[in-house]
């Protein structure tokens, strides 16, 4: 266990190169690494619930005292750096009001089929198809964690859930939630259905309403991007489900839809 930080006085110090110019690096990628921003998210990264390995911590001098427990418990071999607010802002490339950043390592993707092995009757999955907005991605993970989803399965058209803003919006749920990424949507549907999971395709055109649906086993919530929605070919292979709208609206924000759907599907009074 370590209980001290390494002082950084030069924003060009090579020891903090991974934290430099964060917004530009967000666009170019970090080769298996990611930046976690804010105390709540960094504490998730450092916790036993995290599926990701902490690699380094960078905090403002003025926050070192308040974060003493986090620093003391930071893993051995993962350095802790501190800097003045001015130097910290120059390293990050923008005013870093939260005063804390961490570098983490993405988890091993493992075998995609492991996410759907030994499926139980109470399991609920979230499947995202073509979600490109990082706020929505973070919201999906936050809701999946809040309602105890078994895993989040992202198709090969989704944005990176480890983008800094997606992690922040998820309140760290991206770091602790089992997931699969990079597979075609058809493959994901095939695997779920082969495991006995009923896949619910959420679309405004469905005749079946969510309120009238009662699940009798494991289910998956399939959600598409706002605007185009889900591909017709995917809807045809699943059970189409709608959340009726009033006032001429045809749909909710995709993150809001996930919250409504997961609440319904995980409520004991609305199952069976």
């Amino acid at each position: 266990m370590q209980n001290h930080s390494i002082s950084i006085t030069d924003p060009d110090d090579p020891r903090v190169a991974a934290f430099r110019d964060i917004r530009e690096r967000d666009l170019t990628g970090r080769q298996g690494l990611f930046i976690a921003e804010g105390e709540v998210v960094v504490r998730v990264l450092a916790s036993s619930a995290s599926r990701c390995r902490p690699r380094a911590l960078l905090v403002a001098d003025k926050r070192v005292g308040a974060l003493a427990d986090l620093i003391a418990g930071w893993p051995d071999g993962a350095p802790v750096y501190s800097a003045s607010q001015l130097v910290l802002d120059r390293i990050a490339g923008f005013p870093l009001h939260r005063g804390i950043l961490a570098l983490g390592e993405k988890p091993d993707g493992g075998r995609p089929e492991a996410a759907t092995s030994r499926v139980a009757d109470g399991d609920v999955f979230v499947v995202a198809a073509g979600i490109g907005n990082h706020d929505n991605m973070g919201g999906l993970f936050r809701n999946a964690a809040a309602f105890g989803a078994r895993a989040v399965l992202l198709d090969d058209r989704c944005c990176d859930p480890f983008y800094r803003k997606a992690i922040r919006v998820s309140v760290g749920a991206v770091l602790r939630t089992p997931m699969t990424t990079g597979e075609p949507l058809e493959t994901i549907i095939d695997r779920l259905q082969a495991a006995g999971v009923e896949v619910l395709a959420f679309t405004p055109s469905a005749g079946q309403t969510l309120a009238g649906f009662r699940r009798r086993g494991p289910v998956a919530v399939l959600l598409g991007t706002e605007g185009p929605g889900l591909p017709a070919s995917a809807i045809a292979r699943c059970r189409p489900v709608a959340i009726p709208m009033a006032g001429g609206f045809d749909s909710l924000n995709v993150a809001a839809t996930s919250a409504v759907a997961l609440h319904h599907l995980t409520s004991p009074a609305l199952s069976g």
Side-chain angles (χ1 to χ4, degrees), residues 218-236:
V219 293
V221 176
L222 172 56
L223 301 163
T225 186
E226 293 175 46
L230 291 169
S233 59
I235 296 172

Side-chain angles (χ1 to χ4, degrees), residues 91-105:
I91 293 169
F94 61 93
L96 192 69
H97 303 301
R98 293 175 175 84
I100 178 172
L101 293 170
L103 183 70
E105 182 178 327

Side-chain angles (χ1 to χ4, degrees), residues 46 54 66 78 88 96 132 134 144 155 160 166 178 184 200 245:
L88 186 63
L96 192 69
H134 292 99
D155 79 354
D160 184 2
L200 309 181
M245 300 286 106

Side-chain angles (χ1 to χ4, degrees), residues 37-44 63 66-67 69-70 98 100:
E37 179 184 358
E39 181 178 350
V40 172
V41 172
V42 173
R43 286 188 180 278
V44 173
R63 300 211 60 193
L67 297 170
D69 64 318
L70 176 64
R98 293 175 175 84
I100 178 172

Side-chain angles (χ1 to χ4, degrees), residues 178-224:
M179 72 175 78
T180 66
T181 62
E183 288 192 300
L185 180 58
E186 295 77 9
T187 302
I188 296 173
I189 294 172
D190 283 343
R191 184 171 290 117
L192 287 166
Q193 292 177 337
V197 179
E198 183 169 24
V199 184
L200 309 181
F202 278 76
T203 175
S205 62
Q208 166 82 68
T209 66
L210 176 64
F213 176 77
R214 298 292 182 270
R215 70 183 183 94
R216 288 170 172 76
V219 293
V221 176
L222 172 56
L223 301 163

Side-chain angles (χ1 to χ4, degrees), residues 46-184:
S47 73
S48 60
S50 175
R51 302 174 60 247
C52 309
R53 184 164 74 92
R55 293 283 295 266
L57 181 66
L58 175 61
V59 299
D61 289 340
K62 64 185 179 182
R63 300 211 60 193
V64 168
L67 297 170
D69 64 318
L70 176 64
I71 293 171
W74 197 249
D76 290 335
V80 177
Y81 303 109
S82 63
S84 69
Q85 187 66 53
L86 178 61
V87 171
L88 186 63
D89 291 348
R90 289 183 61 189
I91 293 169
F94 61 93
L96 192 69
H97 303 301
R98 293 175 175 84
I100 178 172
L101 293 170
L103 183 70
E105 182 178 327
K106 295 180 182 180
D108 180 2
R111 297 179 300 108
E113 58 269 24
T116 52
S117 65
R118 297 185 296 278
V119 173
D121 283 348
D123 284 345
V124 178
F125 297 85
V126 175
V127 182
I131 304 300
N133 180 284
H134 292 99
D135 291 276
N136 286 337
M137 183 63 73
L140 287 177
F141 273 89
R142 181 172 184 169
N143 295 336
F147 290 103
R150 162 85 179 263
V152 178
L153 314 180
L154 309 178
D155 79 354
D156 53 4
R157 298 174 298 122
C158 284
C159 64
D160 184 2
F162 288 95
Y163 184 81
R164 179 172 51 96
K165 190 174 185 182
I167 296 173
R168 187 174 72 239
V169 171
S170 81
V171 199
V174 167
L175 310 182
R176 54 177 288 184
T177 304
M179 72 175 78
T180 66
T181 62
E183 288 192 300

